[in-house]
Amino acid sequence: MAFQNERHEKLYNRLKDDAIKRGFTPEEVSTPYLDKLSKQTKSGRIMKMISLAYHLGQMRGVKMCDELFHTEITLRDGIEEK
């Protein structure tokens, strides 16, 4: 998988490694898409939960990018001007 930014690639790999540490197999986290999962279940309830998790993950990703890459940081030296 090609990335445009090395920082994003490192973050992606860290999240992938975390998923593996939580018990998922490398095959399960090999691609960030839900195509396989949607074909493995016939239950509407389970599919709805998978879909919700997918949408929440997308929302979390957008929020994470906003916080990581667009937060202004102001450095102060602790001395106030009079």
Side-chain angles (χ1 to χ4, degrees), residues 54-70:
Y54 178 76
H55 290 291
L56 292 175
Q58 286 183 317
M59 292 164 51
R60 180 180 174 194
V62 169
K63 182 69 174 152
M64 184 184 297
C65 287
D66 181 63
E67 291 170 353
L68 287 173
F69 308 118
H70 302 289

Side-chain angles (χ1 to χ4, degrees), residues 26-56:
E27 293 79 26
E28 289 173 319
V29 296
S30 64
T31 179
Y33 302 103
L34 298 177
D35 299 343
K36 270 186 171 177
L37 289 175
S38 65
K39 294 174 185 172
Q40 290 176 345
T41 184
K42 303 262 189 253
S43 169
R45 185 176 76 75
I46 298 298
M47 195 57 218
K48 184 176 178 182
M49 288 174 33
I50 291 170
S51 182
L52 175 60
Y54 178 76
H55 290 291
L56 292 175

Side-chain angles (χ1 to χ4, degrees), residues 1-13 65 69:
M1 179 176 297
F3 284 84
Q4 303 297 319
N5 184 299
E6 184 179 336
R7 187 175 178 188
H8 294 158
E9 183 176 10
K10 287 180 182 179
L11 178 59
Y12 180 91
N13 288 331
C65 287
F69 308 118

